[in-house]
Amino acid sequence: MSDTGIFAEFIGRKVNRVRWRPDDLMASTMFVTGSWDNEYDNVIELWGLTSEDENSAKDFPPKLLDCVKQNGNVTQIRFLDSKFVAVSTDNGAVKVYRVIGENEDSNIHLKEIMAWDTLHSLGKEQSSCKDLAVCNFSLATIGDDYKLNIISLNTKQIHLVLEVISSSPLTCICFLTDTEVLCCNALSQMELCDIRVAKSSIMANINNFSQTQVPITCVAQHPSQKHFIFTGSDEGDVGVWDMRTNSLLTTMSSGYASSLTEIAFHPLEPDHLFTCSFGGRLLQWSSKKSYMCHVDPGDLEYSNFWVNMDKVKTRLSVNDIIQPIYMPINSLDIQKQQLICGADNEAVYFQRNLKL
């Protein structure tokens, strides 16, 4: 353990996605990783944080609890709740697994309960499922076939299929509301799709709005003010969008022109934003304490730091969480006060107590 509370463990596979298992009451002791770029031996792995005795702190290295082979590179992992996790791969498939057992059980494992093997394809050729999002047991996927799929996990049926929803390759997706899905593409465009609309008329209900032509690589929704969307770009910038007006409010730069691979808010402290990048940097974007100490709680305009453009430009602080590794950091996740990330150097990094 280092003085900063940062741990690293090499797991022997390039990590493309990493996710904490949700826990509403306590800090999670389990996480899932998904590998890529390993020919025909890509897997998802379930890990548990263990300690030598019940009075000691959770510590690295983690214990491998289960390993499930995947037919392709893992492109996304999303937990539906503490028991179910969805996984997408670049062969166009999506599978849902159930976590059977608890961390200390000797027989804990992942059990496949749902699978869609050909969600995305171009003719007879398999096409990558680029991203997936979950909301109230609905699942949305986008792929290299320019297609959006909406799946009802309650009925295990494909609820809606939207063909060719973009003129440019789709890159990432998120649910804006229970009935609205936001799809981003490589031309810095976002299509807002109302999934209640009939298939025959869906194209009339997609709103296009774009600024520069820099590809959007990742997207995150503000935890408490859902109409604010944050996007990461291929040039390392973060865009702040107001979906009430479909407008770009501002663009923030860390000074490092490297493609952002993932962007995420602290779920309980949304004045703190985290990004990882192709250039091997894990960054924390936050408001300086001097500003936050003088916020008037009754002033709604100032209650969201990111909306006040003048304050963002003068009070924004961007800091490295770990030393740059100069290999792509592909994924990160935050749960309570702990952060985990995975990289192409076949390692996962664990930050015990985030400094907020």
Side-chain angles (χ1 to χ4, degrees):
M1 174 179 170
S2 67
D3 294 336
T4 58
I6 298 174
F7 302 81
E9 177 70 9
F10 290 91
I11 64 174
R13 302 178 191 273
K14 292 183 178 180
V15 181
N16 203 34
R17 286 293 177 261
V18 59
R19 295 287 179 259
W20 287 112
R21 182 188 184 187
D23 191 320
D24 293 335
L25 300 178
M26 303 175 63
S28 180
T29 60
M30 297 171 61
F31 63 92
V32 174
T33 60
S35 70
W36 82 291
D37 195 26
N38 198 21
E39 294 295 332
Y40 301 103
D41 190 29
N42 288 297
V43 298
I44 58 168
E45 294 175 309
L46 179 65
W47 301 85
L49 300 182
T50 59
S51 56
E52 294 182 357
D53 61 78
E54 62 181 9
N55 295 319
S56 65
K58 296 188 299 293
D59 207 345
F60 259 37
K63 177 183 178 182
L64 180 61
L65 303 175
D66 195 17
C67 177
V68 181
K69 186 175 180 179
Q70 302 295 304
N71 294 322
N73 297 320
V74 175
T75 57
Q76 189 56 272
I77 299 174
R78 297 289 184 192
F79 271 92
L80 284 67
D81 56 21
S82 62
K83 294 185 180 295
F84 299 95
V85 58
V87 179
S88 64
T89 58
D90 69 350
N91 67 348
V94 171
K95 297 181 179 181
V96 176
Y97 296 87
R98 180 171 183 172
V99 181
I100 306 295
E102 296 299 330
N103 192 0
E104 302 301 325
D105 295 347
S106 59
N107 63 342
I108 187 170
H109 63 281
L110 295 168
K111 179 181 179 181
E112 181 183 318
I113 60 170
M114 304 180 207
W116 299 268
D117 293 326
T118 56
L119 277 179
H120 296 279
S121 61
L122 290 170
K124 296 183 179 180
E125 298 293 328
Q126 294 176 331
S127 179
S128 175
C129 179
K130 298 292 290 185
D131 198 8
L132 67 84
V134 295
C135 180
N136 294 336
F137 280 80
S138 290
L139 191 151
T141 71
I142 53 172
D144 280 344
D145 55 357
Y146 300 84
K147 184 189 298 182
L148 168 66
N149 293 299
I150 306 296
I151 301 171
S152 171
L153 298 179
N154 289 321
T155 63
K156 302 182 182 181
Q157 300 295 318
I158 299 176
H159 169 68
L160 189 64
V161 178
L162 306 181
E163 305 278 357
V164 193
I165 65 168
S166 172
S167 59
S168 178
L170 296 166
T171 55
C172 50
I173 185 175
C174 74
F175 275 93
L176 190 62
T177 67
D178 291 353
T179 59
E180 294 178 316
V181 176
L182 191 67
C183 303
C184 307
N185 68 19
L187 289 179
S188 192
Q189 296 174 334
M190 296 192 288
E191 283 84 24
L192 185 60
C193 307
D194 189 336
I195 62 177
R196 297 168 298 181
V197 177
K199 181 178 179 180
S200 60
S201 60
I202 190 66
M203 294 304 294
N205 291 274
I206 296 178
N207 301 315
N208 295 302
F209 39 98
S210 63
Q211 297 292 327
T212 61
Q213 300 299 301
V214 179
I216 295 174
T217 55
C218 49
V219 62
Q221 187 178 39
H222 192 279
S224 59
Q225 295 179 283
K226 304 294 187 180
H227 52 276
F228 290 117
I229 294 295
F230 288 61
T231 57
S233 80
D234 197 47
E235 294 184 349
D237 298 327
V238 173
V240 184
W241 303 74
D242 188 344
M243 301 306 296
R244 295 171 300 183
T245 58
N246 292 351
S247 60
L248 179 65
L249 299 180
T250 189
T251 300
M252 303 178 292
S253 175
S254 65
Y256 307 109
S258 178
S259 177
L260 298 184
T261 51
E262 194 148 46
I263 181 171
F265 281 96
H266 190 287
L268 302 178
E269 299 286 345
D271 286 322
H272 298 270
L273 182 71
F274 300 84
T275 62
C276 54
S277 71
F278 191 80
R281 304 190 82 107
L282 178 64
L283 299 178
Q284 179 176 351
W285 309 58
S286 57
S287 57
K288 294 181 180 178
K289 297 297 183 181
S290 59
Y291 164 65
M292 294 307 297
C293 290
H294 294 87
V295 171
D296 180 0
D299 191 341
L300 294 179
E301 180 183 359
Y302 289 82
S303 62
N304 186 346
F305 166 73
W306 309 105
V307 179
N308 190 317
M309 298 304 103
D310 292 334
K311 296 300 182 183
V312 166
K313 294 181 183 299
T314 59
R315 305 287 186 177
L316 179 65
S317 174
V318 183
N319 298 294
D320 285 292
I321 297 177
I322 63 174
Q323 290 293 324
I325 64 173
Y326 302 107
M327 290 190 73
I329 300 178
N330 298 313
S331 184
L332 68 92
D333 197 23
I334 305 134
Q335 194 267 344
K336 304 299 184 186
Q337 297 303 105
Q338 54 188 12
L339 178 147
I340 197 165
C341 68
D344 272 1
N345 64 351
E346 302 184 354
V348 289
Y349 296 84
F350 170 55
Q351 170 74 51
R352 181 193 299 279
N353 295 309
L354 284 172
K355 296 180 180 179
L356 302 177

